[in-house]
């Protein structure tokens, strides 16, 4: 297995920033082992059928398919989520919205909305931490909602409600303490998009300047917040100023931006006065 891992690491190198880790995850997945278990068995020889299947996984990774699509799952917050090409692979930086949301919520009973939930990552992480909260998540894509609902069932979080529609459209007339969203914010033609081609384009880019969905959300979501309720938005590293401007124009208070682990402005939030 040691040689198989070295070979795979070298092949994956051009397609990934973490070739060794990717190779280990894919080999462990093929063998039905944890990565920890894999390390205790590195001296063993791979069976031919496993070697062939591993080669196929490596070839797909070289073609820039996300590791999470190849294994069918991704860790987010404390949860393991199922993912498929119908949903964006949850990113570690999005945990920033979960962390910030939990600070705002305290322990009281509250109503939370997640707009454009994809795999359900943010909604399910918040629900797992706040058993008393009522959580409603929307997505325009029925295929994404099927993944999110399956995740809710797997995690015993069936109380999270899922509704189909754009952003806050399916929530008209309701009132929330917290609204969170990680909308598509990459601008059309951005140089990073080709490498992300296996993920749903509609979850990555608005096909315009990258701010279109953020504008739409800021134009419609604050009306659903109770006075004192918060709106938290993920955005691109260079969009902090623009998002703060949108929230100012919408009359929101306490506008603040937080940075991700890479030091980039990544989330901006504000309170309904
Ligand atoms: N953070 C993601 C990326 O750059 C983009 C996610 C999004 O557009 N919401 O890969």
């Amino acid at each position: 297995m040691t040689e198989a891992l070295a070979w795979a690491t070298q092949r994956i190198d051009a397609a990934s920033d973490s070739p060794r880790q990717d190779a280990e995850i894919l080999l462990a997945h093929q063998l039905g082992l944890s990565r920890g278990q894999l390390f205790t068995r590195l001296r063993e020889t791979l069976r031919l059928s496993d070697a062939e299947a591993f080669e196929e996984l490596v070839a797909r990774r070289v073609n820039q398919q996300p590791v999470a699509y190849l294994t069918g799952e991704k860790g987010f917050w404390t949860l393991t989520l199922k993912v498929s090409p119908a949903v964006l692979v949850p990113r570690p930086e999005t945990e920033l919205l979960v962390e910030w949301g939990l600070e705002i919520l305290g322990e009281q009973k509250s109503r939370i909305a997640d707009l454009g939930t994809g795999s359900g990552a943010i909604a399910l992480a918040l629900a797992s931490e706040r058993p008393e909260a009522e959580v409603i998540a929307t997505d325009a894509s029925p295929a994404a909602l099927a993944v999110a609902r399956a995740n809710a069932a797997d995690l015993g979080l069936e109380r999270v409600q899922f509704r189909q529609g754009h952003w806050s459209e399916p929530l008209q007339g309701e009132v929330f303490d917290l609204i969170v969203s990680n909308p598509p914010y990459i601008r059309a033609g951005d140089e990073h998009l080709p490498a992300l081609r296996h993920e749903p384009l509609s979850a990555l880019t608005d096909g315009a300047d990258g701010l279109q969905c953020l504008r739409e959300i800021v134009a419609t979501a604050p009306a659903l917040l109770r006075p004192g309720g918060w709106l938290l938005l993920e955005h691109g590293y260079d969009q902090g100023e623009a998002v703060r401007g949108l929230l100012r124009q919408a009359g929101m208070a306490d506008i603040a931006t937080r940075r991700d682990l890479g030091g980039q402005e990544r989330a901006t939030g504000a309170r309904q006065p």
Side-chain angles (χ1 to χ4, degrees):
M1 291 188 196
T2 306
E3 287 111 69
L5 280 175
W7 165 83
T9 303
Q10 199 175 16
R11 281 211 63 202
I12 293 170
D13 191 56
S16 166
D17 294 334
S18 52
R20 173 74 191 190
Q21 178 179 311
D22 294 3
E24 288 168 4
I25 293 171
L26 293 175
L27 184 55
H29 171 73
Q30 175 56 37
L31 300 175
L33 302 173
S34 70
R35 262 169 96 200
Q37 291 168 329
L38 181 71
F39 295 139
T40 66
R41 296 175 53 170
L42 288 179
R43 296 222 179 124
E44 295 176 25
T45 307
L46 272 183
R47 287 164 30 181
L48 184 61
S49 57
D50 285 329
E52 284 172 354
F54 179 53
E55 259 180 62
E56 176 61 29
L57 289 170
V58 170
R60 290 168 66 189
R61 184 65 191 121
V62 171
N63 183 31
Q64 291 180 315
Q65 294 201 27
V67 173
Y69 290 166
L70 302 178
T71 63
E73 62 181 39
K74 176 76 182 179
F76 181 80
W77 198 247
T78 63
L79 312 174
T80 300
L81 298 168
K82 280 204 175 81
V83 294
S84 81
V87 298
L88 189 78
V89 177
R91 310 284 202 267
E93 58 267 28
T94 302
E95 294 178 0
L96 196 54
L97 288 185
V98 177
E99 216 173 85
W100 196 352
L102 291 174
E103 285 173 29
I104 286 164
L105 289 169
E107 298 292 335
Q108 81 278 19
K109 195 170 181 329
S110 48
R111 298 193 86 232
I112 304 169
D114 175 18
L115 312 182
T117 195
S119 62
I122 305 171
L124 295 168
L126 289 171
S128 73
E129 297 285 346
R130 291 290 182 274
E132 297 292 308
E134 193 177 335
V135 184
I136 309 182
T138 70
D139 206 285
S141 157
L145 285 177
V147 174
R149 284 197 178 99
N151 277 320
D154 279 357
L155 297 166
L157 294 168
E158 289 94 341
R159 72 176 207 283
V160 177
Q161 299 176 49
F162 295 96
R163 299 196 196 153
Q164 200 246 317
H166 284 280
W167 314 126
S168 54
E169 201 175 66
L171 307 174
Q172 289 317 304
E174 300 191 41
V175 181
F176 295 91
D177 302 284
L178 173 67
I179 300 179
V180 292
S181 185
N182 172 22
Y185 52 69
I186 301 178
R187 69 181 67 79
D190 186 283
E191 57 177 358
H192 297 105
L193 281 174
L196 303 174
R197 67 189 177 280
H198 298 286
E199 293 182 89
L201 197 61
S202 65
L204 289 163
T205 176
D206 55 8
D209 65 351
L211 288 165
Q212 204 45 44
C213 297
L214 288 158
R215 279 191 206 99
E216 207 175 311
I217 292 167
V218 174
T220 53
L224 306 180
L225 288 170
R226 69 162 170 77
W230 282 81
L231 174 62
L232 302 183
L233 300 168
E234 184 172 318
H235 53 71
Y237 70 95
D238 57 354
Q239 293 172 327
E241 187 51 46
V243 174
R244 288 189 293 276
L246 290 172
L247 292 165
R248 251 192 316 273
Q249 279 169 29
M252 301 288 283
D254 294 346
I255 299 165
T257 294
R258 291 196 180 185
R259 291 175 189 269
D260 61 23
L261 290 173
Q264 308 279 8
E265 291 196 333
R266 185 60 62 189
T268 294
R271 191 174 54 81
Q272 178 75 298

